[in-house]
Amino acid sequence: MNTSLNQTHLKAIQQLVRPFYESLDGFHDVCHGETVVLIAKKLLEGESADAFLVEAGAWLHQYHDHLHLLQQGLESLDISNHDRQSLMHIVESCR
């Protein structure tokens, strides 16, 4: 499955998550998000998954207990409904 996500979208997602991560405990700060992204990229090697969707999902994973905030944040971004639903599904799977 290919998405319409690109580097511009990923930068917007990073800007979206930064204040959210800063509001969490020290174990779930921006460094935690960066680590999850690095691990996701490593796991992606040799797979046929959409790299942008994997990276976006990794950045957003910590919203698993704040799905209403995630929905609001995703609605503020210029992404397709299909990509928004895919990202919601990824994060819901992190519960």
Side-chain angles (χ1 to χ4, degrees):
M1 163 183 52
N2 287 333
T3 68
S4 59
L5 296 176
N6 58 41
Q7 281 302 126
T8 302
H9 295 114
L10 289 176
K11 288 181 182 186
I13 287 169
Q14 289 171 22
Q15 290 175 346
L16 173 71
V17 302
R18 188 166 294 279
F20 178 72
Y21 277 113
E22 290 172 355
S23 74
L24 301 176
D25 63 79
F27 295 107
H28 298 98
D29 59 7
V30 174
C31 290
H32 168 73
E34 291 169 347
T35 299
V36 172
V37 169
L38 289 174
I39 291 168
K41 286 181 174 181
K42 188 71 176 166
L43 292 171
L44 184 60
E45 293 174 9
E47 298 293 333
S48 61
D50 183 288
F52 288 110
L53 193 59
V54 170
E55 183 172 346
W59 277 115
L60 295 168
H61 82 280
Q62 203 57 52
Y63 279 89
H64 58 82
D65 286 332
H66 306 278
L67 295 175
H68 64 287
L69 294 177
L70 175 61
Q71 183 70 40
Q72 290 173 354
L74 292 177
E75 288 174 359
S76 74
L77 301 177
D78 183 26
I79 61 174
S80 72
N81 189 50
H82 179 266
D83 291 340
R84 189 176 301 116
Q85 289 177 351
S86 295
L87 290 169
M88 287 296 297
H89 177 74
I90 289 169
V91 176
E92 288 170 350
S93 298
C94 294
R95 294 183 111 183

